[in-house]
Amino acid sequence: MQAVATDFGIEAALKELGIKAINEGTSTGAESFSSNSNGDVLESYSPVDGQLIGKVRTTTKEDYEKVMKTATEAFRFWRLVPAPQRGEIVRQFGEKLRAHKKALGKLVSYEMGKSYQEGLGEVQEMIDICDFAVGLSRQLHGLTMHSERPGHRMYEQYHPLGVVGIISAFNFPVAVWSWNTALAMVCGDVCVWKPSEKTPLCGVACQNILAEVLKANNLPEGISCLINGDYRVGELMTKDNRVPLVSATGSTRMGKIVAQEVAGRLGKSLLELGGNNAIIVTPDADVKMTVIGAVFGAVGTAGQRCTSTRRLIIHESIYDKVRDAIVAAYKQLKIGNPLDENNHVGPLIDKDAVRMYREALEKVVAEGGTLIVDGGVLSGEGYESGCYVRPAIAEAKPEYKIVQHETFAPVLYLLKYSGGVENAIAIQNGVAQGLSSAIMTNNLREAERFLSAEGSDCGIANVNIGTSGAEIGGAFGGEKETGGGRESGSDAWKVYMRRQTNTINYTTNLPLAQGIKFDL
């Protein structure tokens, strides 16, 4: 294996996380099927320096059947474990994550390319959702209703669904899996996870950590299973009647395919898809706060968050002031190795992402836009992977086709509006996606209108903070082509369970509903 960012402790992190120099195999928590797998070898290269990190074997149909057998057997046991006891296992998993936070954060940074601080933040999200799920394990409650029939009691309760299939994206290679897994586990479900083929080692690391907890508690390894590969492996789950829920994170194109396939067999899907997120900046905005929120939203994770800020909708009266402040801030950005905490922006995930970035800049200019902060691909020492680009800013118009499109890269479009805030809201809502949105204003009326039924049509609507980032306590997700799914907090747990209405007759008579008479 080639040396991998030795100065930043990557090799030590891999060792701590139980990843060998060359790691081949699918796993259900142990190395059960790796030696028997005949799948293709999937290599993981770091966008940080282009080095080979490790390898896994992709899951074959035969491997998948073994995984599903193991998972379904584990479900029959796990569903009968009391929910608070299931919560205790998730609590132990959270403690393991605390112990391995630095190592896992480094792997996330190195394999995906986000800054080390963001890698640590992603692991913290995993810890937070475990804490949330532990409390939730004692809160899986239904409602009681008064029956119209004397001597009857009526209530509803929730039961585990079964095997939950999870398809995650490269940009949050560990957190999104944990959002699903922590909740699904306390609900009594078992999970089969297909991580992105661009970040397979993050999946192996997480599986290794959780497998330690399961083994220490003498629990079936099939409670959490890992499969690897491209979309063809994901298709095995989406077409499988044994998987009642498929939770998929990724592009809108991918989500539409998953939704149609799962709906065709009357399964359930939880979709977290694209976002074309905007910040509205009104005349009453705090410009300093606006700059901080907009810049981090646009360049954090090199613009590869589903909640990244793509559009800045600025009132004409302060347009020049805000534009100049944003441009000045971009001049201070440091681009380089994300494991170096002095840098603000790391690389894009791969060469395909670089290509899409370049095409977006070409398209906005071709449509009449103006680049006020030039982009470009960086080369030379420290940029050998070819995945480093300059965050760019373009002045554009809302109707441009490229502005209507989500480009997964650090490209920010400045759009001007005039008149009242309703005009800005119309621009913001005038795209197909509906994930995250924000308004910068100190005007109470503007803020409340933005949050009203005639305001933002997004699943997330913020006031005086940016579009990027979300807390565990709130349900995360969006509308329209974002898919309508909700993960993480609030009552998102209900999607992982099946609802059952129960009526108990404790009399010696059998009255029928609605007063119907049926005498024998």
Side-chain angles (χ1 to χ4, degrees), residues 158-458:
Y158 289 84
H159 293 302
L161 272 177
V163 178
V164 172
I166 303 168
I167 300 172
S168 63
F170 74 85
N171 59 330
F172 279 85
V174 298
V176 172
W177 166 73
S178 71
W179 292 359
N180 287 274
T181 298
L183 297 191
M185 283 182 62
V186 297
C187 288
D189 300 319
V190 300
C191 299
V192 176
W193 177 28
K194 191 201 87 65
S196 169
E197 61 270 30
K198 298 180 180 181
T199 51
L201 297 183
C202 284
V204 173
C206 291
Q207 184 69 5
N208 287 345
I209 294 171
L210 183 50
E212 289 180 13
V213 176
L214 298 177
K215 185 176 181 180
N217 288 273
N218 296 313
L219 293 172
E221 62 181 10
I223 290 171
S224 177
C225 303
L226 185 72
I227 56 178
N228 274 304
D230 59 16
Y231 71 93
R232 291 169 292 185
V233 175
E235 284 180 347
L236 297 176
M237 286 197 296
T238 60
K239 295 179 179 180
D240 194 339
N241 285 320
R242 295 169 294 181
V243 184
L245 172 66
V246 176
S247 176
T249 304
S251 69
T252 296
R253 182 192 61 80
M254 177 276 293
K256 289 180 177 179
I257 295 172
V258 170
Q260 293 176 41
E261 195 68 57
V262 176
R265 58 178 175 83
L266 297 182
K268 299 169 66 176
S269 58
L270 191 168
L271 303 176
E272 296 290 353
L273 311 176
N276 193 350
N277 316 296
I279 298 177
I280 294 171
V281 188
T282 79
D284 289 314
D286 183 315
V287 174
K288 182 178 180 181
M289 290 175 61
T290 297
V291 170
I292 295 171
V295 173
F296 176 73
V299 308
T301 320
Q304 296 173 114
R305 292 183 175 219
C306 52
T307 55
S308 290
T309 306
R310 311 289 179 199
R311 299 172 294 147
L312 205 58
I313 305 167
I314 311 167
H315 193 269
E316 60 182 0
S317 65
I318 59 167
Y319 181 86
D320 291 348
K321 182 179 181 180
V322 173
R323 178 198 59 198
D324 294 346
I326 295 285
V327 170
Y330 267 52
K331 293 179 180 178
Q332 302 174 48
L333 294 175
K334 296 179 180 178
I335 308 167
N337 190 318
L339 291 163
D340 183 345
E341 295 183 52
N342 293 312
N343 292 324
H344 301 105
V345 184
L348 294 177
I349 185 65
D350 55 24
K351 298 289 183 61
D352 282 340
V354 173
R355 174 184 55 78
M356 288 187 287
Y357 158 84
R358 297 178 70 169
E359 289 176 354
L361 297 184
E362 293 170 359
K363 288 177 180 178
V364 72
V365 172
E367 289 193 72
T370 303
L371 290 174
I372 58 174
V373 174
D374 290 334
V377 182
L378 300 173
S379 59
E381 185 177 356
Y383 304 124
E384 290 86 356
S385 70
C387 296
Y388 291 86
V389 302
R390 294 188 184 90
I393 301 176
E395 292 183 308
K397 293 183 179 181
E399 62 270 21
Y400 289 177
K401 289 182 180 180
I402 190 60
V403 175
Q404 296 282 316
H405 176 76
E406 180 193 33
T407 301
F408 230 53
V411 180
L412 178 64
Y413 301 113
L414 302 190
L415 313 175
K416 187 184 296 185
Y417 82 95
S418 58
V421 71
E422 65 276 5
N423 295 333
I425 292 172
I427 293 172
Q428 180 212 275
N429 292 347
V431 296
Q433 309 83 2
L435 178 53
S436 187
S437 59
I439 188 170
M440 293 292 184
T441 182
N442 289 318
N443 184 308
L444 179 62
R445 290 191 176 95
E446 290 179 334
E448 290 294 338
R449 185 161 191 174
F450 177 75
L451 299 175
S452 73
E454 62 179 348
S456 170
D457 64 2
C458 295

Side-chain angles (χ1 to χ4, degrees), residues 43-117:
E43 297 179 329
S44 176
Y45 289 88
S46 171
V48 174
D49 54 18
Q51 298 289 339
L52 175 66
I53 312 173
K55 303 178 182 181
V56 300
R57 281 201 179 274
T58 59
T59 301
T60 65
K61 288 184 179 180
E62 292 75 20
D63 295 332
Y64 177 77
E65 285 302 316
K66 293 177 182 178
V67 167
M68 284 302 301
K69 181 180 179 181
T70 304
T72 52
E73 289 177 354
F75 172 64
R76 285 192 283 270
F77 165 83
W78 186 240
R79 64 184 174 180
L80 299 178
V81 175
Q85 292 183 28
R86 300 193 296 250
E88 167 59 18
I89 301 305
V90 174
R91 186 196 67 78
Q92 292 180 32
F93 178 47
E95 289 302 303
K96 283 284 187 180
L97 289 171
R98 285 179 170 90
H100 296 296
K101 180 177 178 179
K102 291 184 178 179
L104 186 54
K106 283 186 178 180
L107 176 58
V108 168
S109 177
Y110 188 61
E111 188 172 33
M112 184 268 148
K114 65 175 58 177
S115 73
Y116 178 48
Q117 286 300 316

Side-chain angles (χ1 to χ4, degrees), residues 132 179 272 435 459-460 470-478 485-493:
F132 180 90
W179 292 359
E272 296 290 353
L435 178 53
I460 299 170
E471 294 185 33
I472 288 301
F476 180 87
R486 292 297 186 276
E487 294 172 314
S488 190
S490 185
D491 64 349
W493 60 272

